[in-house]
Amino acid sequence: IFLACAADLCSSDDMEMCSLKVLELEGSPSLMLLRLIGERGCTTGHLMDYLQTLGNQDALQCLKPPALQIVIQPQSVALICGHNLRLSCHAVCKSPVQYQWFKYNQEVPNSLSPDLVISPVHLKDAGFYICRVNSVDAFEFSQWVQVDVLNVGVSYGQSYQSLDGRMKVVIQPQSQRLHVGENLQLECGAVGRPIPRYQWHRNGVPIANASKRKLTVRRPDAYYQARVVYRSGFLPLLCLISATDKVALLIGNLSYQNHPQLKAPMVDVYDLTNLLRQLNFKVVSLLDLTESEMRNAVDEFLLLLHKGVYGLLYYAGHGYENYGNSFMVPVDAPNPYRSANCLCVQSILKLMQEKETGLNVFLLDMCRKRNIHDDSTPNIVLRVTANIVFGYATCQDAEAFELSSSGFTNGVFVKFLKKRLLDDEKITVVLDRVAEDMGQFDATKGKQALEIRSSLSERRALTDPILPGDSADLLHAHSRQWAKAHELPESMCLNFDCGAQIKLGFAAEFSNVLVIYTHIVKKPEDMSSCQAHVTDFSQDLDVDPKEMNRETPEETGIYLLSSCLPQHCLYTRLSSLQKLREELVFTVCLQGTFASMDDDHPVHWTKSVNIGKPLIARLDLHRAMRRNSCLQTCMMPHSPSHSPCHSPGPEHRLYPHHGSLQAQDNNRLSPQQRYLDICEHLQGTLGGCRDSYCDHLSQRRYEPPYDSPEGLSSSPGRLSIPIEATDDIDELQTVFINSLQPQL
């Protein structure tokens, strides 16, 4: 068949060498000849032309692509129980194709599409899967794939981000104390795509036949370590430094009553919540807290701390700094505000030190300008401990910025922090890299720079494992306390007298934001239309009836969680759950019309539902401040000469305010206005910006005096200036940076 092809491309010596290949084991003169032809630049098309000339149809059929071909093979994956499983297999064919998925040799019910989706996945779904693709006259099988489902304890209300193919260790091997003769049981678990592989080590030496997630050792006498192999990398799991627990309090204040509104804190808190949960932090995320609510939230946060715990406090909102002490401004702070109206960060640190925590991390995404209305000098005496890290979003006497564009954006600090937060490095190294990234952002050069203050002497990282140690009972009690504030109501089905069945579901966007959605499960055959909505909520909650029972999550202000909610429902968002004083009771109203009725007048049925106190409402943050509140440590005056850090000189001070802000009602924004800055999508990018769109900056969390030139804007809180795309990038940056206006 191939002699004519070889005549022009191969010499006689080549032909003789090919014929001798038949003397070798599995030798083939034809394969050898084809390899030689390929090395001389002959393509499949050339070969098919030669075979066409010879008229050899059998050989031509061998070279033609198959009528049915699988172009995308499914991949093995390891994931957490409760997540969504998706396996994909795609084939091409001239005729229509059909798909059927199998688990082992059993057909998977209702799996006739290219994508096999199991939502949520359970432990029983683990195993081996394969897909059969059928056409009119042929069929093909995909490759076998393994699905490994890990049983990891997940608290109510916790959400996860997509892994995007990255490996993540979710089950850490735990140190153990054994009696003589006892066996050692170790377990390690990781999720990722493709499925991770394991290798256990003893004193740094690989253990033979120890490549499973679980390891049993008889009479152990050394240190053991697991390494998870992912492609070509190794990830050590068992470290000398560990935490007894990890707890984080995240506060984002944006809807201020007497000060400019902010937008980025909501997105910042949401993104950091998901990242910290991947690091096994117990996260309390709260939006828009008053002074008493903030102080009570800090008290509850302190209850979760004990010896060896990693405590992290993130705050995004208005703020200031006097004499080296940082103050967080609640949403109900008067204008002007003073230290008596705010929370002092250093006082919270003092209370954390009394808990003998293993690591104290403060990430303050606020301005640090001097407050000329506050002459108090808090006398906060801190212990000398080597476990404190401060990450300030900006330098002393400077403002912080938030990005503004079409869609959701972070503040400048979190924009770069979230790209580094999962790095397995010392926390100060992580912040150093964030500072370097921020330094490359041309739009804020010379205006905002990350400042790091640290007394950390050990290599402590946010990725350190959790080893309970001797206080396991105390840890369990504290875990119950945290879970108490994150318990979602269970989904329920409501049966109405007319025969309709309604599903009532719940989701948590933040610790104090609850999402309720209703879905029609079943309706009577003679009912032509049916709709269920919720109403009659407590007056403690600030709920706008116009933004309830909407057909899309975005219409009711649910932007960040919308992709995680079921479709074809009516959605309602309840914020400020911390204000709820009684159990949450509301009404589910069913409205339907019947085809048998002469008119289209709807018929109504109602049911009352009591879901108790959901999420953070259980902690009663609305109550009066406790006697041992952090308020006591915020108001002890002392001489400025004894302050750890002096305030800026007169040349940096602000001038008094004249006039007042607009009325509170005029400052309030709808959820659409508050969380989305609707503007034309700009093409092109700003130099130094990593996003695919042009970011706009507005100075954040600093309120200028009204008699200064920078404070003349008639719409505080909306100072973003649209910039048209241009070919002159340097000129664009100059105009863009010069347009920044201070805003607190």
Side-chain angles (χ1 to χ4, degrees):
I1 296 175
F2 302 108
L3 289 179
C5 306
D8 295 335
L9 299 173
C10 300
S11 64
S12 59
D13 293 337
D14 293 333
M15 297 293 291
E16 182 178 356
M17 180 177 61
C18 292
S19 63
L20 292 176
K21 288 291 293 183
V22 77
L23 301 178
E24 300 180 8
L25 184 63
E26 298 182 356
S28 171
S30 299
L31 291 177
M32 186 66 180
L33 181 58
L34 288 173
R35 186 178 296 110
L36 289 173
I37 294 175
E39 292 173 354
R40 285 160 174 75
C42 179
T43 65
T44 305
H46 295 152
L47 182 57
M48 293 183 69
D49 290 340
Y50 287 127
L51 294 173
Q52 188 71 37
T53 303
L54 292 175
N56 194 315
Q57 297 300 321
D58 293 337
L60 282 172
Q61 289 296 327
C62 295
L63 293 176
K64 287 183 178 179
L68 175 63
Q69 184 178 8
I70 296 179
V71 294
I72 298 180
Q73 294 280 0
Q75 286 188 325
S76 297
V77 63
L79 71 168
I80 298 175
C81 181
H83 281 206
N84 297 332
L85 170 65
R86 179 184 294 272
L87 300 176
S88 298
C89 175
H90 289 267
V92 294
C93 184
K94 294 182 180 179
S95 59
V97 296
Q98 297 178 339
Y99 297 86
Q100 176 62 59
W101 287 89
F102 292 82
K103 180 181 180 183
Y104 299 107
N105 61 345
Q106 299 294 323
E107 291 185 357
V108 179
N110 303 319
S111 61
L112 304 178
S113 65
D115 296 324
L116 174 62
V117 178
I118 302 178
S119 176
V121 67
H122 301 286
L123 294 177
K124 62 182 179 63
D125 297 317
F128 289 86
Y129 291 80
I130 194 171
C131 181
R132 184 185 67 201
V133 185
N134 296 76
S135 65
V136 176
D137 54 358
F139 68 91
E140 290 287 341
F141 281 98
S142 70
Q143 64 185 13
W144 283 97
V145 293
Q146 180 183 359
V147 174
D148 189 12
V149 181
L150 280 66
N151 186 18
V152 180
V154 180
S155 298
Y156 292 102
Q158 181 168 339
S159 60
Y160 290 89
Q161 296 290 87
S162 173
L163 292 171
D164 295 327
R166 296 183 295 109
M167 182 187 69
K168 173 63 182 173
V169 177
V170 295
I171 300 178
Q172 299 276 6
Q174 304 293 318
S175 297
Q176 300 181 29
R177 297 178 180 177
L178 305 176
H179 295 289
V180 176
E182 290 183 340
N183 293 338
L184 173 65
Q185 302 282 345
L186 295 176
E187 181 180 5
C188 170
V191 294
R193 188 192 300 268
I195 192 168
R197 294 181 291 113
Y198 301 85
Q199 176 60 60
W200 289 90
H201 292 240
R202 176 181 178 274
N203 292 338
V205 179
I207 304 174
N209 301 321
S211 57
K212 297 183 178 180
R213 289 200 299 109
K214 296 183 179 181
L215 175 69
T216 301
V217 182
R218 295 183 178 180
R219 298 180 180 179
D221 59 353
Y223 288 102
Y224 290 81
Q225 183 183 55
R227 290 184 182 270
V228 181
V229 185
Y230 187 74
R231 293 190 175 96
S232 60
F234 293 86
L235 179 63
L237 299 180
L238 198 57
C239 308
L240 296 178
I241 298 178
S242 61
T244 56
D245 200 4
K246 300 179 186 178
V247 182
L249 173 62
L250 278 57
I251 300 177
N253 286 341
L254 55 153
S255 302
Y256 281 88
Q257 300 173 10
N258 304 304
H259 304 280
Q261 307 273 315
L262 302 174
K263 294 184 298 181
M266 184 186 73
V267 189
D268 293 343
V269 169
Y270 185 84
D271 287 345
L272 292 183
T273 296
N274 290 316
L275 291 172
L276 289 172
R277 281 173 174 164
Q278 293 184 47
L279 297 174
N280 297 320
F281 271 83
K282 294 181 175 67
V283 182
V284 180
S285 58
L286 300 169
L287 297 182
D288 293 332
L289 300 184
T290 63
E291 178 192 349
S292 61
E293 292 167 355
M294 286 183 69
R295 297 190 188 281
N296 289 331
V298 170
D299 287 342
E300 295 292 342
F301 170 65
L302 294 172
L303 292 177
L304 300 177
L305 304 180
H306 57 87
K307 186 175 182 179
V309 173
Y310 285 11
L312 184 147
L313 173 64
Y314 171 81
Y315 170 74
H318 292 322
Y320 69 94
E321 182 172 313
N322 278 10
Y323 304 114
N325 294 306
S326 303
F327 294 88
M328 304 180 293
V329 181
V331 295
D332 63 341
N335 182 22
Y337 45 72
R338 296 175 176 82
S339 61
N341 316 118
C342 306
L343 271 72
C344 180
V345 175
Q346 280 69 24
S347 70
I348 300 174
L349 171 58
K350 180 180 179 181
L351 296 174
M352 292 175 67
Q353 288 182 321
E354 295 175 359
K355 300 287 186 175
E356 299 183 355
T357 47
L359 177 65
N360 301 307
V361 179
F362 294 84
L363 303 176
L364 302 179
D365 200 353
M366 65 184 196
C367 285
R368 300 174 64 194
K369 297 290 287 187
R370 172 86 168 90
N371 184 0
I372 62 171
H373 301 287
D374 184 12
D375 294 328
S376 64
T377 54
N379 181 18
I380 303 171
V381 181
L382 299 174
R383 298 181 183 179
V384 179
T385 55
N387 61 354
I388 303 172
V389 177
F390 275 91
Y392 295 96
T394 190
C395 296
Q396 188 177 19
D397 199 39
E399 297 88 15
F401 294 86
E402 62 181 16
L403 301 172
S404 177
S405 67
S406 57
F408 295 110
T409 54
N410 299 105
V412 175
F413 178 35
V414 175
K415 172 184 173 68
F416 297 102
L417 175 65
K418 67 181 184 179
K419 299 177 181 179
R420 300 284 189 181
L421 196 62
L422 298 181
D423 292 352
D424 186 18
E425 298 285 353
K426 186 178 179 181
I427 178 61
T428 51
V429 174
V430 171
L431 293 177
D432 280 335
R433 292 176 178 174
V434 174
E436 294 173 0
D437 295 340
M438 289 177 60
Q440 301 300 317
F441 191 37
D442 292 340
T444 54
K445 278 187 177 179
K447 297 180 180 292
Q448 178 176 352
L450 177 64
E451 182 176 330
I452 306 168
R453 296 183 183 179
S454 171
S455 65
L456 196 60
S457 60
E458 299 177 312
R459 188 197 176 280
R460 292 193 177 270
L462 299 182
T463 55
D464 289 343
I466 297 176
L467 302 177
D470 297 328
S471 56
D473 294 338
L474 183 61
L475 173 62
H476 183 62
H478 289 180
S479 297
R480 291 199 307 268
Q481 175 73 10
W482 174 82
K484 178 182 177 182
H486 292 81
E487 185 173 351
L488 271 175
E490 294 185 1
S491 299
M492 59 185 72
C493 285
L494 304 179
N495 296 308
F496 289 82
D497 294 338
C498 62
Q501 187 179 71
I502 308 301
K503 180 180 179 181
L504 196 63
F506 306 91
E509 191 173 26
F510 297 92
S511 299
N512 63 339
V513 178
L514 178 70
V515 176
I516 303 177
Y517 52 90
T518 58
H519 177 66
I520 307 296
V521 178
K522 183 180 67 175
K523 69 175 183 178
E525 296 181 356
D526 58 341
M527 183 177 287
S528 57
S529 65
C530 182
Q531 189 179 62
H533 59 272
V534 293
T535 185
D536 299 335
F537 288 101
S538 169
Q539 295 182 355
D540 294 337
L541 303 177
D542 185 14
V543 183
D544 187 350
K546 297 180 181 179
E547 296 170 357
M548 295 167 50
N549 303 297
R550 311 304 296 179
E551 294 183 354
T552 63
E554 291 78 9
E555 291 181 86
T556 189
I558 309 169
Y559 300 103
L560 303 175
L561 198 64
S562 58
S563 61
C564 304
L565 296 175
Q567 297 180 348
H568 311 299
C569 300
L570 294 183
Y571 308 91
T572 299
R573 183 179 189 264
L574 302 181
S575 58
S576 301
L577 290 180
Q578 74 277 3
K579 301 183 184 301
L580 191 63
R581 297 177 179 274
E582 305 293 339
E583 293 183 342
L584 183 55
V585 180
F586 57 93
T587 302
V588 179
C589 181
L590 176 66
Q591 176 179 305
T593 58
F594 292 88
S596 58
M597 298 179 64
D598 296 335
D599 56 1
D600 293 333
H601 186 71
V603 182
H604 298 269
W605 296 267
T606 60
K607 278 186 177 294
S608 180
V609 177
N610 186 342
I611 60 173
K613 288 189 174 182
L615 301 177
I616 203 70
R618 289 174 173 265
L619 300 185
D620 295 329
L621 299 186
H622 57 79
R623 67 189 183 279
M625 288 178 287
R626 293 179 176 179
R627 184 174 301 175
N628 62 343
S629 170
C630 61
L631 173 65
Q632 294 186 5
T633 59
C634 292
M635 296 301 296
M636 292 185 256
H638 76 330
S639 170
S641 62
H642 296 93
S643 174
C645 182
H646 296 290
S647 62
E651 66 275 13
H652 295 292
R653 294 190 176 184
L654 306 179
Y655 295 94
H657 288 246
H658 295 284
S660 60
L661 288 175
Q662 297 176 351
Q664 174 181 343
D665 291 341
N666 293 335
N667 268 341
R668 288 191 175 274
L669 303 175
S670 68
Q672 287 81 0
Q673 293 170 322
R674 183 181 306 159
Y675 305 139
L676 281 179
D677 188 9
I678 306 299
C679 63
E680 181 180 0
H681 181 73
L682 301 178
Q683 302 298 325
T685 57
L686 176 68
C689 179
R690 298 182 182 180
D691 291 344
S692 60
Y693 50 83
C694 278
D695 285 331
H696 304 283
L697 288 175
S698 61
Q699 284 195 345
R700 166 191 189 181
R701 302 168 190 141
Y702 166 62
E703 185 179 351
Y706 277 80
D707 58 349
S708 66
E710 298 159 332
L712 298 179
S713 172
S714 60
S715 58
R718 288 192 165 270
L719 300 177
S720 302
I721 300 177
I723 298 176
E724 297 181 358
T726 175
D727 293 333
D728 190 350
I729 298 299
D730 294 333
E731 179 182 357
L732 170 63
Q733 290 184 203
T734 302
V735 175
F736 177 57
I737 295 173
N738 291 338
S739 68
L740 298 175
Q741 299 292 331
Q743 185 208 354
L744 197 60

